[in-house]
Amino acid sequence: MSEHRRKPPQPQGGGRAAARRGQSGASSGRRAAPRGATGSPADYGLGHGSGGEEQPTGSRADARRASQRNLGGSRRRAAEPAAGRRGGGQSGPGGGRGRSAPDRKRLIDYPRADKYGWQRWMPSWKLVVGLFVGFVGSLVAVAGIGYAMVGIPDIAKTATAQNNVYYWKDGSQMVATGGETNRQNIDLSQIPEEMRWAVISQENKTFYDDSGIDPKGIARAVFNMARGGQTQGGSTITQQYVKNAMLNDQSQTISRKFKEIFVSIKVGAEVDKDQIMAGYLNSAYYGRNAYGIQAASRAYFNKDAIKLNPGECAFLAAMLKGATYYDPAGATSVDSVGATPAANSKRAQRQMQDTLDKMVEYGHLDASVRAKYNTLPKWQNPRSNTDLKGQIGYLVDLANGYLVTHSKETGVTQDLLQQGGFSIYTTFDKNKVNQLQASVKKVRDANIKPEQRPDTDTHVQFGGASVEPDTGAIRAVYGGEDATKHFTDNADQTGAQVGSTFKPFVLAAAMTWGVRDPDLGSSQAQDERTIVSPKSLFSGQNKLKIRNYDDSIWKNEKGEEWLQTNDGNVSLGNPPDYKIDLREAMRESVNSAFVQLGMDVGLDKVKDSAVKAGLKESSLTNSGFPSFSIGISDPSAIRMAGAYATFAASGKQRDPYSVEKVTSEKGQIFTHKTQTQQAFTDKVADNVTDVLKTVVEKGTGTNAQLPGREVAGKTGTTDGNKSAWFVGYTPQLSTAVTMFRYDDDESKKDRTFLKMFGTGGQKKIHGASFPAQIWHDYMLDALKGTPAKDFPEPQPIGEVVNAEPSPTPTPSATETEEEETSPSPSPSKSAVEPSPSATETCNKFFGCQNDGGTSNGNGNGNGGTGETSPSPSTSESPADTRGNTSSGFFGGPGG
């Protein structure tokens, strides 16, 4: 038999017991046989004294097989270090501990092969250092490549822009504008040194020393982009210079931002600082379509840049922060709340003074020179493009303002709009715009004679807006006589109080939330309310002492009471308590009834009602005073038309908008989608409409009647006769018209509303006079060809609060608005309350008060009188400024 078939020799002496002793020896931890073991007892560590008997020497085949078994055990121990660590791996007959085969070497020793447990996952210092060096090296390589690939931009090539084309509602072209290149580069020597230092002091005081970039600003911009937010402008003048030079690429991406960074680094390293400064001042946008300091100097001051004084330089430096909110002329946008001339002037003044102070602090301007410039410089009207004359300029401003204000939806930023290339399809109806303008002109030409009556007929302004209830689309506006001559849009930003046109929001609040129970605690009364029916009765007494809902007398923080007066100082209702139902109170525009109703409902609910209808909360005054209910706030004509449109649409509120869609070379980039909110239930809205129908049918608004059509509306006249309104609607169209006298010299620091006693040859201007006449003439033409449509029939609502029989109201013999505009019942002597002679006084809390508005014998102040000044001879009160939304906390607008 061949050798490889021969059975291996059996172990001598001991059999299985010896085998067990051999295993025990293996577990004792003796060294395993080396790779070239021969199979002898000595090779396996089984020498004398091992506890086992000596094994006989086998053949060469036996030795080879033993060696192979030993090698396999060593490999297993290498793969299972824990077993080897315990000495458990058997390698041969003797079971000795073996030496593991070495691992293959890896490029990165991670997880670490020579460590166990958590230590395997701790990188070595060599690995950490290597990775750091590699990372830094990669950054350096990327930066080097990026630096090499970018070039220095030519700022002179950024003066190009395309026109934006605006279209009427019917698709015909309105105007093409915006592409005018209002820019002229000038040498640094032609730029005043004060202009350079003004910008450096305010924007980048280390300009001449830094490398051209701000790492913190860059990190902030990248972080904002990573979160999906807007990037911020360059933090250094160099970065802003580069940003201006890269106007052809305004994408908000990280790659573009990194490109801007590399360009800034290269420009900072290779371009002279003075050249950067000149390029920045020649390319920056200052508002009014002015690019560069020379164009800006001409746009604001009509002079060359070299002639600018330090104050004018600081002023123009403020414009670089964003002319929308710093140009004292204001910005025109239906939603640019806070960009009024008064607010912008205040911001510009504050920024200008801060810049001058920093110039002194950093040693760039002498303190004695700085002291000469404490007010805004005299600036000129901003419009010069004759294509924007008439109403076109106002329409373009509204469309632009809407696009930029809603840039997240439209995708059109201010920078992109300036570059142009957009086709903008507006909501404006050309015929309606012309009809509204013609209606205002007809009334103005026939009645306003500044040459004949310079003391009363100068500075007269009109404004108007028309909104479609079903969509919220603005169909027409009247912003003023000419957008190139009168910059402020009277349809959007006027500051004129709305007076009694605010009363429908009080009624809507009473029908929505109800009045509180005076017998319950404040928290319980909020929950347990009574919805009010239009038949509910409230006091129409003149000089009514206003109470809180719990019947306690309302007092201001000085402990002064409020006595609310009515227009003409008359009491309406049935003596002796003069109770009058809310329908009649609205028809006769009774202040006292609605002021007390507002207190019973809660002025916070009245405010909520106005906001739900569509007024901007920022346009509403403090709701902590009783007069809030009678219109001391000053929302725009656009917003008032939109809010009344909510009632016309049975409570469905849709924000006014001016752009239907926008297209560019990329295709259609924006389409308006109407969003509808159910502001009020149809029951509430339809009942308000039904009450307002009464105003037009037989109340203060009879001048607004349209033959064959149902009309709902409300007149409004304010304290001191400084503004007058009519807001009304049919089911298809809602329109607001306002009139006021306003000193529109924008260069004046404190511009004021002026009284209208005697204006147009009338003793007093009411909403029922010129505003209602304009509304009537316009709506008559605007609705031609539109089928007449009735309002929904109102469903019964609420409970009759303070129920008791109420006869027809009996006004006093004092001349009222109603007596001027519609027949009224014969006066009843019992309805007349005696009042002192006509005087008007003003104070911080009570505002301007007429005919008995002074303090009583107990020293308690009386409430504002609304429209109670009986004649132009009434003593003058301190003029209220444009920025003040109320002529006094207690000044009470009337009907």
Side-chain angles (χ1 to χ4, degrees), residues 158-163 177-185 281-303 380-385 418:
T158 64
T160 60
Q162 301 179 62
N163 274 328
T177 186
E180 307 86 2
T181 305
N182 183 15
R183 173 176 167 183
Q184 178 185 352
N185 287 347
L281 292 177
N282 276 320
S283 62
Y285 183 65
Y286 297 79
R288 302 190 178 187
N289 198 37
Y291 291 85
I293 184 63
Q294 176 68 8
S297 182
R298 282 291 175 186
Y300 287 92
F301 306 116
N302 196 27
K303 64 170 68 173
Q380 66 179 1
N381 188 288
R383 291 194 184 277
S384 59
N385 187 344
Q418 290 163 15

Side-chain angles (χ1 to χ4, degrees), residues 192-234:
E193 188 175 356
E194 291 85 358
M195 186 66 208
R196 293 175 252 164
W197 290 121
V199 174
I200 290 172
S201 299
Q202 189 61 253
E203 301 287 339
N204 182 194
K205 67 179 181 179
T206 62
F207 169 69
Y208 280 107
D209 302 316
D210 62 37
S211 62
I213 62 171
D214 176 14
K216 291 182 179 179
I218 293 171
R220 185 168 56 248
V222 172
F223 178 70
N224 286 341
M225 283 187 290
R227 293 194 308 168
Q230 292 290 319
T231 60
Q232 297 176 339

Side-chain angles (χ1 to χ4, degrees), residues 516-665:
R516 294 168 287 186
D517 189 333
D519 297 327
L520 300 177
S522 58
S523 60
Q524 189 178 0
Q526 291 290 347
D527 298 329
E528 299 187 24
R529 292 168 171 265
T530 302
I531 301 300
V532 173
S533 162
K535 297 179 181 179
S536 297
L537 301 176
F538 283 81
S539 177
Q541 182 179 359
N542 186 46
K543 298 181 184 175
L544 178 68
K545 184 177 291 187
I546 299 302
R547 299 175 179 272
N548 296 306
Y549 83 92
D550 61 2
D551 208 35
S552 62
I553 297 174
W554 187 93
K555 296 180 181 180
N556 65 14
E557 64 265 28
K558 290 187 175 182
E560 298 164 326
E561 298 179 356
W562 181 299
L563 300 181
Q564 180 60 55
T565 58
N566 293 325
D567 184 30
N569 269 317
V570 298
S571 294
L572 289 171
N574 187 31
D577 52 6
Y578 298 99
K579 288 290 181 67
I580 186 172
D581 71 47
L582 292 177
R583 181 183 297 274
E584 292 301 305
M586 185 74 77
R587 181 177 77 86
E588 301 294 342
S589 200
V590 181
N591 288 343
S592 55
F594 280 95
V595 169
Q596 187 59 60
L597 176 62
M599 298 298 290
D600 291 350
V601 173
L603 297 180
D604 59 330
K605 301 300 185 186
V606 174
K607 186 174 185 177
D608 285 350
S609 174
V611 172
K612 281 180 177 293
L615 300 188
K616 286 287 188 181
E617 186 171 358
S618 57
S619 71
L620 303 178
T621 58
N622 188 342
S623 60
F625 297 89
S627 60
F628 180 77
S629 293
I630 49 176
I632 60 174
S633 299
D634 56 3
S636 67
I638 292 173
R639 283 287 166 179
M640 285 299 289
Y644 272 50
T646 300
F647 297 129
S650 294
K652 296 176 179 64
Q653 190 271 329
R654 302 169 176 104
D655 271 350
Y657 71 99
S658 55
V659 177
E660 291 286 3
K661 66 177 181 178
V662 179
T663 63
S664 70
E665 61 182 8

Side-chain angles (χ1 to χ4, degrees), residues 457-517:
D457 285 19
T458 55
H459 307 301
V460 175
Q461 297 289 336
F462 295 90
S466 207
V467 173
E468 191 174 79
D470 287 343
T471 62
I474 303 172
R475 294 306 182 198
V477 297
Y478 179 85
E481 285 188 83
D482 191 331
T484 63
K485 298 176 182 178
H486 174 74
F487 181 65
T488 303
D489 185 352
N490 294 342
D492 187 39
Q493 297 287 353
T494 65
Q497 296 177 6
V498 296
S500 290
T501 57
F502 199 80
K503 288 173 182 174
F505 307 125
V506 184
L507 181 60
M511 292 179 176
T512 300
W513 286 284
V515 296
R516 294 168 287 186
D517 189 333

